[in-house]
Amino acid sequence: MEKNQTTERYTLADIENWSAVAGDLDPPIRLGIFGDPIAHSLSPQMQNAALRACGMEMQYARFHIRASELRSALLFLRKLGFVGINLTVPHKIAAFIQIDEADESATRTGAINTIRVRDEKLIGSTTDGDGFLRAIRTEFSIDLRDLRVMIIGAGGGTGRAIAWQCALENCERLVLVNRTLAKASKLADTLGPFFSGARVLGPAARLEAIALDETALRAQLADIDLIVNATPLGMNPSDPAPIPERLIAPHHIVFDCIYGSSRTALLRATEAAGARGANGLSMLLYQGARSFSIWFNRDAPIEAMRAAL
Ligand code: NAP
C-alpha cells in the first residue's frame, strides 16, 4: 500500500489549486474519476489495485464535480500532468462536446466515460459498451446477439453506449425505453439500419422506442429476454425499481448497471419473480479494464482488479 494512498474526495476548488493541494503526494495522483455523486464509486480501489499490480508509481482519486463545474474541471485537467480520467453520472454526454478528439466509440455514441490526456489535449472514448458485452457473457453465459434486449434509460450516456453495442452485435431485437421519449426515438432513428433485416419470427418489430409507461412496457415485455437498467434509479437504497416490479416474469434476465452492497429494488423483484439477475459489478470491472488499456496501451491486470472489488 502506498504511503499516502487516498480515497478521499477532491473538488473543483482542489483542482484549481492542485499543486498546493496534491503536489506533495507520493505517489502522485495522475488518474481519477469525475462524478456527482461520487462517494459510492469503486473505481478508485479497482484502478489503484491495477496500478500497484503493474508497479506504476501513481494514484487514482475521486473528484466530486457537479454538472455546472465540469467545464472548468476539464479546462484545468489539461494542465495537471494527468494520464487521464473516468467520467460517471451525470457527465458522460456533457463531456463529449468539451473534449479535443473523440475515438470511434465516442463519436458513434456521443458520450464518453474515459479521457486520455496527451499533449494537453483531451481524447475521449467510451468503454461502457465493451464492458457491458463482456459482463453479459460472464454473468449469464450468453451472447448479446442471441437476445431480445430492453434498455431502460436509453437516453443517458450509459444507455446509449449499451444500445450501440447491441446494434453492433446485431442482437435479435432492441427496445429503447426512456422517460423523455424523444431521446430514445432519436437514437432509434440512428440505429435503424442495423435492424433492417428480418431475424425474429413473429410480428414484433426488431427496433422500437417507447416511453417509460406501464402500458407500453407491458406490450413489449413478452418479446424481451434481457432487461437492462441504465438509469441511476437504485443508487440510493430507497429508490424504487425503474419499471413496475409486477412486470418482471420468470423468463426474463435482468442486468442492473447499478452496483453496491445493497441489492436494488429491481434485483429484489427479479429474484421474487424467479428470474435471473446480476448487478453492475462485472461491467464496472470490464469497462475499467478497457479504460486502463486506453491509458497505458497495455492489457489490464484483470485478476488484481477483480480481487480489489
Ligand atoms: P445519465 O447520463 O445521467 O443518464 C440517465 C438516464 O436515466 C437518462 O436516460 C434519464 O432519462 C434516466 N433517468 C434519470 N433519472 C430517472 C428517473 N428518476 N426515472 C426514470 N429515468 C431516469 O447517467 P449515466 O452516466 O448513463 O449512468 C446511469 C447509471 O448507470 C448510473 O447509476 C451509473 O452509476 C450506472 N453505470 C454503471 C456502470 C458499471 O460499470 N456498472 C457503468 C456506467 C454507468 P431522461 O433522458 O428522461 O433524463
Side-chain angles (χ1 to χ4, degrees):
M1 183 69 75
E2 290 91 336
K3 268 183 289 179
N4 291 319
Q5 173 72 50
T6 179
T7 51
E8 72 180 86
R9 258 183 287 173
Y10 294 94
T11 63
L12 177 61
D14 296 323
I15 291 179
E16 288 170 350
N17 203 14
W18 192 240
S19 60
V21 169
D24 291 340
L25 287 178
D26 178 24
I29 293 171
R30 294 276 182 262
L31 288 160
I33 180 162
F34 289 3
D36 179 23
I38 199 61
H40 70 285
S41 175
L42 296 181
S43 290
Q45 70 188 54
M46 175 177 73
Q47 296 292 0
N48 279 318
L51 293 168
R52 283 196 295 276
C54 296
M56 288 171 170
E57 289 293 308
M58 61 179 82
Q59 300 189 58
Y60 180 113
R62 74 182 84 229
F63 294 83
H64 184 208
I65 303 294
R66 295 187 176 85
S68 60
E69 299 171 334
L70 180 67
R71 191 178 152 71
S72 301
L74 291 177
L75 284 173
F76 277 100
L77 177 66
R78 291 172 166 86
K79 308 275 184 194
L80 300 185
F82 271 41
V83 175
I85 55 154
N86 285 129
L87 294 147
T88 187
V89 63
H91 299 314
K92 291 179 185 184
I93 293 176
F96 175 75
I97 52 170
Q98 298 181 46
I99 52 176
D100 302 298
E101 286 173 35
D103 77 358
E104 197 187 336
S105 67
T107 305
R108 64 178 169 239
T109 52
I112 56 172
N113 74 340
T114 305
I115 287 178
R116 185 160 57 98
V117 188
R118 199 184 56 202
D119 302 332
E120 298 190 5
K121 287 206 161 116
L122 306 183
I123 303 157
S125 313
T126 178
T127 67
D128 281 335
D130 189 59
F132 172 77
L133 174 71
R134 294 181 67 184
I136 295 300
R137 268 192 207 135
T138 305
E139 297 288 354
F140 304 117
S141 305
I142 195 161
D143 274 333
L144 266 186
R145 67 184 328 276
D146 298 321
L147 294 172
R148 299 169 299 176
V149 184
M150 171 181 280
I151 302 171
I152 304 155
T158 309
R160 277 196 207 177
I162 290 173
W164 264 97
Q165 198 68 40
C166 290
L168 293 169
E169 294 298 310
N170 197 14
C171 73
E172 283 280 352
R173 180 161 197 259
L174 183 61
V175 176
L176 305 171
V177 185
N178 208 47
R179 184 176 59 178
T180 313
L181 177 59
K183 291 190 207 167
S185 301
K186 191 168 169 223
L187 182 59
D189 289 345
T190 311
L191 298 181
F194 290 89
F195 294 89
S196 53
R199 274 188 74 179
V200 180
L201 296 174
R206 286 192 64 201
L207 178 65
E208 296 199 49
I210 63 168
L212 191 46
D213 160 85
E214 177 158 359
T215 309
L217 288 163
R218 190 181 290 281
Q220 295 291 341
L221 278 166
D223 296 309
I224 290 296
D225 307 304
L226 172 65
I227 302 171
V228 181
N229 175 32
T231 77
L233 277 176
M235 290 181 86
N236 296 315
S238 57
D239 282 347
I243 58 172
E245 298 178 9
R246 55 188 166 271
L247 296 183
I248 301 170
H251 79 272
H252 291 135
I253 55 181
V254 177
F255 186 82
D256 197 336
C257 292
I258 308 283
Y259 60 83
S261 48
S262 61
R263 235 160 12 123
T264 59
L266 178 65
L267 288 180
R268 288 198 301 273
T270 301
E271 190 179 17
R276 286 190 294 162
N279 75 8
L281 208 56
S282 51
M283 179 173 168
L284 178 77
L285 172 68
Y286 293 122
Q287 61 79 33
R290 182 83 198 100
S291 294
F292 189 95
S293 299
I294 288 171
W295 293 323
F296 297 111
N297 203 19
R298 58 175 284 179
D299 286 343
I302 196 114
E303 287 315 321
M305 297 170 85
R306 195 194 310 273
L309 293 173

